[in-house]
Amino acid sequence: MKIISYTLSLCAAMFLLSSCDGFLGLKPKGKVIPETTEDYEQLLNYEQIQKTSEIYPNFMTDDAFVPEKDPLIGGVKGLKVPLLRLYRFDKETFGESEEDRLWAFSYNRIYTYNVVIEDIMGTSEGTQQKKMEIKAEALLGRALEYLTLVNMYANHYDPATANTDPGVPLVLDKGIEKTNLKRASVQEVYDRIEQDLVEALKSLPERPVGNAFRASKSAGHGLLARMYLYKGDYASALKNAKLALEKHPELLDLKRYEVINPKRFAGRNNVPELTANPENIYIRMAPRAYGLTAQIYGSEDLVNMYDKQKDKRFLIYFARKISNLSLDHDLWVPYVRVNLAVTTPEMYLIAAEAEARLGAKDEALRYLNHLRDHRILEHTPLVASTSDEALKLVLDERRRELPFTGCIRLIDLKRLNRDPRFAKTVTHIVADETYTIEPNDPKYILPIPPIVLQFNPDMIPNKR
């Protein structure tokens, strides 16, 4: 097998080189060009391709708490400048010399997916079916990247304004010398995501090739379920969540696991991760192996949502003592590699939310209690007298299940703020100063990186 040396340079880094122009500003390095079907399949195992999203948007959410002083993470003064700006809800986030890794790495991966999509069918060797499967995986991966990008750098999907709201640039081929690209509308980006996923589902295998780092039909349905949830198309979200769970319903019984060595950092607990965790339908890791582990505290608002005596998510994943340090707040310390792609817990929560919103409270509670049976010691099933009550229970559970998971909480705040029942003002305190972000504040939308605007003068910036 030919070894592919196909290192892709990061957007921002290449922008800084005087010899480089264009929007992406990235060029493949190395002398070996993929030729065979197997060569292109190996691109799907490229290290950066197996990652997605980012962790820093969590600093804007109501889940995050950074104390003024702290013996472990250094407190507010220990935050890097962009993180401090996010935590204070500043208008400016990344300066011209600071890299926005969410944007840069996402388009880096999109470039690789585009190479596979554009060239795989013309390769030598390999069957037609194999080529179609590889192309389908690249389509799914590209859709995942754009779903994150459009929800971070654009207004949340609103059918009344999606055709005019600026989204993100749609780069759909391997051309890397593009100049002065413009932002597609939110509607156009969502249409492309849906088109890619629907096309991918035609050729994705029933089971992943090898392990869950490779895609399957369940992964395709899972991403469609997430996309439709964000669009507010709850019937389609429910349909696809059910299809994802049909072939992959497994949940980890967290009651069987525990903190086995509270003095350790990595290796604190015995919870299986990545391919050993049956909940992972499709794996894409956080940029940092353990995400925000030991980097942030749970806010009082978040921590108080857990049953601190019976909820294994709190008992295993938060701590006030680590190594020889005693802490004043509940530190987020799961030390489990984070999967930001498709998991069965998210599918159960999407199905439950959709059922509640569609008026089927008993079905919503069935999904919800099934998940909680695998999380709570001596679990007593939750009950609700109305669909609205069931919806509130589901949304609370979603927050308990998915804290600090990529961009999920920030996206949830954006979409839920549109509903007066769930709209929320988030408050952070820094050096006795109180900073707030009101529902639907334009600062919920991340700024287009300054260096991107510099090379694309006609691109519409986000007003914050």
Side-chain angles (χ1 to χ4, degrees):
M1 179 182 70
K2 186 180 296 182
I3 298 175
I4 302 299
S5 176
Y6 208 68
T7 305
L8 301 177
S9 301
L10 301 181
C11 312
M14 290 298 292
F15 270 134
L16 298 177
L17 299 180
S18 59
S19 61
C20 180
D21 57 12
F23 166 66
L24 290 179
L26 50 87
K27 297 181 179 180
K29 294 180 179 179
K31 299 180 180 180
V32 180
I33 303 299
E35 298 176 353
T36 69
T37 301
E38 186 179 6
D39 291 342
Y40 280 89
E41 186 173 23
Q42 288 305 308
L43 290 181
L44 299 178
N45 296 322
Y46 169 52
E47 181 183 2
Q48 284 299 326
I49 282 288
Q50 296 181 347
K51 298 179 181 180
T52 195
S53 192
E54 253 295 343
I55 57 177
Y56 72 76
N58 285 283
F59 283 86
M60 288 184 64
T61 72
D62 54 347
D63 285 349
F65 172 66
V66 182
E68 188 66 22
K69 298 179 180 179
D70 180 77
L72 183 64
I73 67 174
V76 169
K77 292 182 179 180
L79 289 179
K80 294 181 179 179
V81 171
L83 296 182
L84 179 60
R85 294 178 187 142
L86 287 163
Y87 193 66
R88 295 185 310 203
F89 315 119
D90 290 356
K91 286 187 177 182
E92 303 300 326
T93 302
F94 293 97
E96 291 188 3
S97 62
E98 294 166 332
E99 180 185 49
D100 181 349
R101 294 167 66 88
L102 174 56
W103 180 283
F105 277 84
S106 290
Y107 277 105
N108 181 274
R109 289 185 288 266
I110 286 168
Y111 170 76
T112 304
Y113 288 130
N114 285 342
V115 168
V116 176
I117 292 166
E118 192 167 332
D119 292 346
I120 183 63
M121 300 310 297
T123 58
S124 60
E125 305 175 14
T127 65
Q128 185 78 357
Q129 178 182 347
K130 184 65 174 178
K131 294 176 185 179
M132 291 298 293
E133 288 181 359
I134 294 169
K135 181 178 179 179
E137 285 199 52
L139 286 166
L140 183 144
R142 185 171 74 180
L144 173 61
E145 296 301 325
Y146 274 123
L147 187 58
T148 301
L149 285 168
V150 75
N151 277 285
M152 287 292 95
Y153 297 95
N155 196 28
H156 191 76
Y157 186 90
D158 182 339
T161 62
N163 278 312
T164 54
D165 286 337
V168 294
L170 278 174
V171 182
L172 303 175
D173 58 51
K174 63 182 182 179
I176 57 176
E177 295 301 331
K178 299 179 185 298
T179 59
N180 205 19
L181 289 187
K182 297 177 176 60
R183 298 169 70 177
S185 71
V186 169
Q187 185 67 57
E188 288 172 326
V189 178
Y190 266 87
D191 287 347
R192 170 52 61 175
I193 293 166
E194 183 175 25
Q195 180 180 329
D196 281 356
L197 290 174
V198 170
E199 183 179 348
L201 275 167
K202 298 174 184 177
S203 301
L204 287 171
E206 293 292 335
R207 291 286 180 181
V209 176
N211 57 50
F213 277 101
R214 302 293 298 276
S216 64
K217 288 191 184 299
S218 292
H221 286 299
L223 285 181
L224 274 173
R226 183 187 291 181
M227 183 206 71
Y228 285 125
L229 179 76
Y230 291 166
K231 282 186 72 174
D233 183 349
Y234 301 115
S236 296
L238 176 60
K239 174 185 175 181
N240 280 280
K242 285 183 173 180
L243 287 169
L245 291 170
E246 192 175 273
K247 294 280 196 304
H248 202 129
E250 297 87 354
L251 283 171
L252 194 70
D253 189 354
L254 207 57
K255 302 191 301 296
R256 297 172 50 195
Y257 300 94
E258 59 190 350
V259 175
I260 56 176
N261 191 337
K263 291 187 176 182
R264 295 189 64 179
F265 288 81
R268 282 176 57 81
N269 61 63
N270 58 355
V271 178
E273 56 186 3
L274 298 182
T275 58
N277 187 337
E279 295 181 349
N280 288 330
I281 297 175
Y282 178 52
I283 299 173
R284 284 296 179 264
M285 297 181 293
R288 296 172 60 112
Y290 293 115
L292 276 172
T293 290
Q295 301 294 312
I296 202 165
Y297 289 88
S299 67
E300 184 177 359
D301 186 37
L302 171 65
V303 168
N304 286 341
M305 297 188 72
Y306 294 93
D307 182 329
K308 297 178 184 178
Q309 306 302 317
K310 295 183 178 181
D311 195 322
K312 294 292 284 191
R313 293 167 296 194
F314 178 79
L315 295 171
I316 296 175
Y317 298 150
F318 289 90
R320 288 209 173 199
K321 187 174 180 63
I322 185 167
S323 186
N324 294 318
L325 293 173
S326 294
L327 307 170
D328 295 327
H329 310 281
D330 295 293
L331 185 68
W332 175 245
V333 284
Y335 279 103
V336 175
R337 288 179 175 86
V338 186
N339 178 19
L340 304 181
V342 184
T343 67
T344 52
E346 185 189 6
M347 293 303 104
Y348 280 108
L349 289 164
I350 290 175
E353 181 175 343
E355 293 280 22
R357 290 185 181 274
L358 294 170
K361 73 173 181 67
D362 291 340
E363 282 299 296
L365 290 171
R366 183 175 67 83
Y367 284 114
L368 183 59
N369 284 316
H370 181 64
L371 174 62
R372 287 173 59 84
D373 282 339
H374 292 75
R375 301 294 190 257
I376 314 295
L377 298 169
E378 301 172 359
H379 176 236
T380 300
L382 298 178
V383 296
S385 57
T386 67
S387 293
D388 282 349
E389 287 182 12
L391 177 58
K392 177 64 165 60
L393 292 173
V394 172
L395 294 176
D396 286 348
E397 198 65 34
R398 182 176 170 88
R399 192 173 174 200
R400 282 188 286 263
E401 181 68 28
L402 302 171
F404 307 120
T405 304
C407 302
I408 283 181
R409 183 56 187 168
L410 188 58
I411 296 171
D412 280 353
L413 285 168
K414 287 175 67 178
R415 70 185 181 95
L416 294 174
N417 277 337
R418 295 177 174 273
D419 186 334
R421 295 175 298 173
F422 305 114
K424 185 174 188 179
T425 297
V426 179
T427 300
H428 292 160
I429 297 176
V430 178
D432 295 326
E433 291 288 332
T434 298
Y435 299 85
T436 61
I437 185 168
E438 302 290 338
N440 304 311
D441 190 304
K443 291 194 292 292
Y444 269 112
I445 303 172
L446 296 180
I448 303 298
I451 199 166
V452 174
L453 295 174
Q454 177 185 338
F455 279 83
N456 298 273
D458 292 335
M459 188 176 292
I460 301 171
N462 286 330
K463 296 180 181 179
R464 305 179 85 237

